[in-house]
């Protein structure tokens, strides 16, 4: 069966080559149109119904004419056909992908890529979808010639349990037909709590904006782009805008993972730009528009939700500090809460499952806090969670954290007062001497010989990435660590980029002993781990192996920790 959108209904081609008008919701035929030649697939585009015959002829028929006759258009080597935004798309028998621009006289075909080994193809207004022989679903945007296909579904026997043989995109839904002939409609498995939230604070002529985003990480190219737009539209200095990722592992990909398998190497550009980027900008602008005279307060307590996952014995360390900033509207007494803790959001919950999109414990903690009628908004910032994993399912962690924050804001708050300033800087820490080009080539050749090994595949991708850097620049790139400081009265917020381990937070707070100083990581750019000497010396995941997964040219050396802390102390921003 092949199905295509047609005005307020659908057109259905059954296995006996009969054409019907059908219902858009149930995909059931209700009126026969006529019969068709032996067709592989149909699609409706620009008032014509197109079909690919078994002899690779492209034919079409106008359903608006009284006499409905098929007419020959072209001979094409097409296996599949679909349409979007007034253009045709075909995949030929060699797996090449072409876009067809339709004119009155002809169809001009342009190559726009290739497809995985497919058994069906469909499209919506933004994307192409293919179903492969092993029943895996992939998607890509429509027209970029170098666009990668991203895996979006496979039979995991949890959310995806059927053997799919056909796919169709109809009426804003992706449909699948199983080998038993049953039709299924897709839906997202999501808690619905992934969002971006912001707090804007103004004093005198200075304004700072603090943003918390429920994603795993962000590339600096995106955060720089967002900050530049806010400066252009609202006049806020880029260095006064801080963007922090909660690091939930249950959100769609939002940064480059260049050594992972190909579908995971880059985020879906449509999602990244049309959802994430727009969502962050909207959160910032709403916070700027909704600023009202308020009193600011600082509070600190502890909450045990994590444990060090790598360090052992005397080296084990866990910082259970939670810092809270409370803004109380002077007129209506409503509260906006900014709270910080350091723990990986990686533990699912039995009631949610591993394949459901969610913000994990930070998202639920925000929801629980906002059940208080006096709290109108809550924002989470991830601290130094690089080596800290949760001890409980995320719902338990969220209840613990929300409970501790709620108790703190009722009992232990200190007034924040004074002027605002902000600073942004970068540090190039010492690194382990990078491998030479020859060493990388040897490493690649060794790993290319290993089959069905995900680690070897990663290593090969890593080697290719570094060799491309050598070819383009002659050297491997530097590895800057960015740090940003917001001084809001007598409260200081220091933020580092990258995925930073625990001791950095303790050391930063110790620079300003006895003062109101909060420290967070995962800010503005999450491009690798930033580990402390015990991890680096042990060559554990945080100190060594993770750099391959992040596609970094080398690892930070043991001296990186002291170098960074010394630079922050000397600058005293």
């Amino acid at each position: 069966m092949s199905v295509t959108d047609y005005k307020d209904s659908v057109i259905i081609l059954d296995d006996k080559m009969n054409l019907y008008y059908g219902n858009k919701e149930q995909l059931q035929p209700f009126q026969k149109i006529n019969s068709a030649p032996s067709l592989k697939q149909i699609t409706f585009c620009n008032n014509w119904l197109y079909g690919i015959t078994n002899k690779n002829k492209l034919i079409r028929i106008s359903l608006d004419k009284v006499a409905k006759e098929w007419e020959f258009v072209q001979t094409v080597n097409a296996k599949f056909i679909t349409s979007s935004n007034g253009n045709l798309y075909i995949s030929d028998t060699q797996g090449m992908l072409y876009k067809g621009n339709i004119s009155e006289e002809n169809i001009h075909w342009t190559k726009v890529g290739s497809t995985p080994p497919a058994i069906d193809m469909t499209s919506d207004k933004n994307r192409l979808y293919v179903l492969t022989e092993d029943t895996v679903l992939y998607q890509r945007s429509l027209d970029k010639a170098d666009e990668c296909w991203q895996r979006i579904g496979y039979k995991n026997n949890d959310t995806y349990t059927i053997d799919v043989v056909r796919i169709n995109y109809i009426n804003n839904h992706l449909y699948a037909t199983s080998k038993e002939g049953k039709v299924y409609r897709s839906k997202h498995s999501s808690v619905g709590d992934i969002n971006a939230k912001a707090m804007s604070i103004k004093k005198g002529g200075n304004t700072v904006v603090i943003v918390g985003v429920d994603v795993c990480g962000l590339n600096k190219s995106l955060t720089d782009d967002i900050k530049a737009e806010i400066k252009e539209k609202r006049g806020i200095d880029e260095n006064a805008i801080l963007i922090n990722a909660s690091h939930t592992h249950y959100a769609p990909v939002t940064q480059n993972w260049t050594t992972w398998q190909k579908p995971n190497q880059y985020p879906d550009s449509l999602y990244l730009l049309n959802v994430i980027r727009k969502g962050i900008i909207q959160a910032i602008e709403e916070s700027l528009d909704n600023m009202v005279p308020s009193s600011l307060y600082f509070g600190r307590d502890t909450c045990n939700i994590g444990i060090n996952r790598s360090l052992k014995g005397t080296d084990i360390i866990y910082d259970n500090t939670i810092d809270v900033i409370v803004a109380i509207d002077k007129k209506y007494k409503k509260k906006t809460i900014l709270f910080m803790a350091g723990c990986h959001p990686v533990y699912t919950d039995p009631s949610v499952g591993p394949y459901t999109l969610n913000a994990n414990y930070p998202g639920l903690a925000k929801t629980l806090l906002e059940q208080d009628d006096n709290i109108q908004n809550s924002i989470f910032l991830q601290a130094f969670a690089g080596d800290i994993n949760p001890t409980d399912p995320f719902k338990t962690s969220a209840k613990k954290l929300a409970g501790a924050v709620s108790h703190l804001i009722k009992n232990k708050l200190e007034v924040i007062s004074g002027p605002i300033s902000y600073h942004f800087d970068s540090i190039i820490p010492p690194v382990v001497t990078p491998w030479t080009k020859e060493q990388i080539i040897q490493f690649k050749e060794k790993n290319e010989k290993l089959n069905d090994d995900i680690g070897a595949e990663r290593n090969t991708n890593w080697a290719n990435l570094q060799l491309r850097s050598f070819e383009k620049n002659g050297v491997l790139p530097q590895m800057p660590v960015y740090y940003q400081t917001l001084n809001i009265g007598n409260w200081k917020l220091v933020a580092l980029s990258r995925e930073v381990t625990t001791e950095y937070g303790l050391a930063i707070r110790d620079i300003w002993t006895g003062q109101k100083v909060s420290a967070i990581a995962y800010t503005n750019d999450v491009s690798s781990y930033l580990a402390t000497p015990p991890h680096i010396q042990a060559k554990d995941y945080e100190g060594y192996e993770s750099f391959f997964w992040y596609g970094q040219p080398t690892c930070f050396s043991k001296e990186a920790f002291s170098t960074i802390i010394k630079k922050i102390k000397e600058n005293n921003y």
Side-chain angles (χ1 to χ4, degrees):
M1 181 178 72
S2 181
V3 184
T4 182
D5 263 313
Y6 176 72
K7 299 181 180 179
D8 295 328
S9 63
V10 294
I11 300 172
I12 299 172
L13 174 71
D14 70 12
D15 294 337
K16 296 180 180 179
M17 297 297 114
N18 293 314
L19 284 173
Y20 297 88
Y21 293 122
N23 180 280
K24 266 195 174 183
E25 288 296 323
Q26 285 77 39
L27 302 189
Q28 294 295 320
F30 61 75
Q31 179 185 338
K32 185 175 180 180
I33 304 171
N34 68 1
S35 297
S38 182
L39 296 177
K40 300 177 185 178
Q41 200 170 21
I42 58 172
T43 190
F44 185 77
C45 185
N46 294 354
N47 297 316
W48 289 91
L49 180 65
Y50 289 86
I52 296 291
T53 72
N54 288 329
K55 294 184 178 180
N56 297 328
K57 291 182 178 181
L58 177 64
I59 61 176
R60 69 181 185 178
I61 188 172
S62 174
L63 301 179
D64 294 332
K65 294 181 180 180
V66 176
K68 299 177 177 67
E69 298 293 336
W70 291 91
E71 61 182 59
F72 171 78
V73 180
Q74 287 179 346
T75 298
V76 292
N77 189 27
K79 191 175 181 181
F80 308 111
I81 186 169
T82 186
S83 60
S84 182
N85 300 327
N87 298 302
L88 295 174
Y89 292 84
I90 63 170
S91 174
D92 69 15
T93 52
Q94 281 73 49
M96 294 297 104
L97 182 66
Y98 295 87
K99 173 185 175 181
N101 182 266
I102 303 170
S103 66
E104 291 184 6
E105 297 81 18
N106 203 353
I107 300 174
H108 175 70
W109 297 99
T110 304
K111 185 178 176 181
V112 291
S114 60
T115 66
I119 60 174
D120 206 3
M121 181 171 76
T122 189
S123 62
D124 61 17
K125 293 181 180 180
N126 299 306
R127 297 179 175 90
L128 294 167
Y129 303 88
V130 296
L131 173 69
T132 62
E133 296 166 352
D134 51 357
T135 70
V136 177
L137 279 168
Y138 290 87
Q139 72 175 23
R140 55 155 282 179
S141 61
L142 291 170
D143 300 331
K144 293 182 181 178
D146 58 349
E147 183 81 4
C148 292
W149 289 91
Q150 295 174 306
R151 188 175 71 171
I152 59 170
Y154 64 99
K155 187 179 179 182
N156 58 26
N157 292 318
D158 189 331
T159 60
Y160 188 160
T161 60
I162 60 174
D163 291 315
V164 182
V165 295
R166 297 298 299 267
I167 54 172
N168 289 283
Y169 197 95
I170 304 291
N171 200 26
N172 299 318
H173 287 283
L174 187 64
Y175 287 84
T177 303
S178 71
K179 64 181 181 180
E180 294 82 17
K182 295 181 179 179
V183 179
Y184 297 81
R185 187 167 67 181
S186 68
K187 68 174 183 178
H188 281 297
S189 179
S190 176
V191 172
D193 62 347
I194 294 174
N195 57 43
K197 294 188 174 186
M199 174 187 279
S200 295
I201 304 170
K202 181 177 181 180
K203 183 71 178 290
N206 288 331
T207 301
V208 297
V209 182
I210 303 169
V211 190
V213 191
D214 292 315
V215 296
C216 190
L218 296 165
N219 291 128
K220 190 170 184 289
S221 56
L222 179 66
T223 58
D224 282 351
D225 180 58
I226 290 169
K227 293 179 182 185
E229 179 166 334
I230 293 298
K231 181 178 182 180
E232 181 179 352
K233 293 168 68 175
R234 308 301 293 259
I236 307 299
D237 192 319
E238 293 104 319
N239 295 335
I241 304 169
L242 182 154
I243 303 175
N244 176 272
S246 72
H247 200 57
T248 175
H249 281 43
Y250 300 94
V253 173
T254 52
Q255 65 185 113
N256 299 344
W257 295 98
T258 48
T259 66
W260 289 48
Q261 292 176 317
K262 198 167 186 178
N264 303 315
Q265 289 176 3
Y266 300 98
D268 173 6
S269 58
L270 293 171
Y271 175 76
L272 187 69
L273 299 178
N274 296 332
V275 178
I276 296 297
R277 183 183 181 280
K278 286 184 178 179
I280 295 173
I281 290 172
Q282 180 180 337
I284 293 172
E285 294 203 280
E286 287 179 353
S287 73
L288 291 168
D289 291 338
N290 295 326
M291 282 192 293
V292 294
S294 302
S295 299
L296 278 180
Y297 300 89
F298 170 86
R300 173 171 292 163
D301 208 335
T302 59
C303 180
N304 294 313
I305 58 172
I307 188 171
N308 199 297
R309 68 187 184 189
S310 295
L311 300 180
K312 307 297 180 184
T314 56
D315 287 330
I316 194 167
I317 189 170
Y318 167 52
D319 182 7
N320 63 359
T321 301
I322 56 168
D323 282 356
V324 176
I325 302 300
V326 182
I328 303 179
D329 176 355
K330 289 184 177 180
K331 183 175 182 180
Y332 298 106
K333 307 303 179 185
K334 295 292 185 180
K335 298 175 182 176
T336 295
I337 309 296
L338 183 75
F339 63 107
M340 294 153 268
C343 184
H344 258 77
V346 295
Y347 201 149
T348 188
D349 189 271
S351 64
V352 176
Y355 300 105
T356 299
L357 299 176
N358 66 85
N360 208 257
Y361 79 82
L364 181 57
K366 287 184 288 184
T367 299
L368 293 173
L369 286 168
E370 289 168 15
Q371 289 177 356
D372 184 332
D373 290 338
N374 290 319
I375 298 176
Q376 62 183 0
N377 195 14
S378 60
I379 304 153
F380 174 82
L381 301 180
Q382 185 61 263
F384 295 82
D387 51 357
I388 304 299
N389 271 5
T391 54
D392 301 294
F394 83 77
K395 288 190 176 181
T396 303
S397 296
K399 291 174 183 176
K400 287 182 179 179
L401 182 56
V405 171
S406 180
H407 179 266
L408 175 57
I409 64 178
K410 294 174 182 175
N411 295 282
K412 300 180 180 179
L413 296 180
E414 302 174 38
V415 174
I416 295 173
S417 62
I420 288 177
S421 64
Y422 49 84
H423 305 272
F424 192 97
D425 210 337
S426 64
I427 305 169
I428 307 295
V431 298
V432 175
T433 302
W435 290 351
T436 64
K437 185 176 181 179
E438 290 70 27
Q439 287 175 310
I440 294 172
I441 291 172
Q442 291 175 4
F443 183 69
K444 175 185 175 182
E445 291 173 347
K446 175 183 176 182
N447 281 275
E448 282 180 326
K449 297 175 183 177
L450 303 176
N451 297 320
D452 300 320
D453 185 323
I454 192 170
E457 184 178 353
R458 174 205 67 187
N459 293 342
T460 301
N461 290 338
W462 178 87
N464 287 331
L465 179 66
Q466 309 315 317
L467 291 173
R468 286 195 296 271
S469 290
F470 269 119
E471 184 177 340
K472 182 178 180 180
N473 305 310
V475 294
L476 294 176
Q478 290 185 320
M479 297 167 55
V481 172
Y482 304 101
Y483 77 100
Q484 186 174 8
T485 303
L486 306 182
N487 295 300
I488 301 169
N490 53 344
W491 172 58
K492 181 187 295 290
L493 176 61
V494 182
L496 292 184
S497 65
R498 302 187 184 254
E499 193 164 349
V500 193
T501 56
T502 304
E503 286 179 280
Y504 273 96
L506 299 173
I508 288 171
R509 292 204 302 268
D510 283 346
I511 295 173
W512 295 278
T513 303
Q515 298 182 42
K516 299 179 181 67
V517 178
S518 302
I520 58 174
Y522 301 88
T523 301
N524 300 314
D525 181 60
V526 185
S527 50
S528 80
Y529 272 78
L530 178 57
T532 44
H535 293 289
I536 295 169
Q537 187 167 345
K539 281 196 169 184
D540 57 18
Y541 177 78
E542 293 83 2
Y544 181 73
E545 187 181 2
S546 64
F547 287 80
F548 290 95
W549 287 112
Y550 268 103
Q552 296 293 288
T554 185
C555 308
F556 292 115
S557 73
K558 290 184 291 184
E559 292 72 33
F561 175 72
S562 58
T563 300
I564 292 170
I565 297 303
K566 181 181 179 182
K567 180 71 177 290
I568 294 173
K569 186 174 183 178
E570 287 175 350
N571 287 336
N572 194 32
Y573 291 150

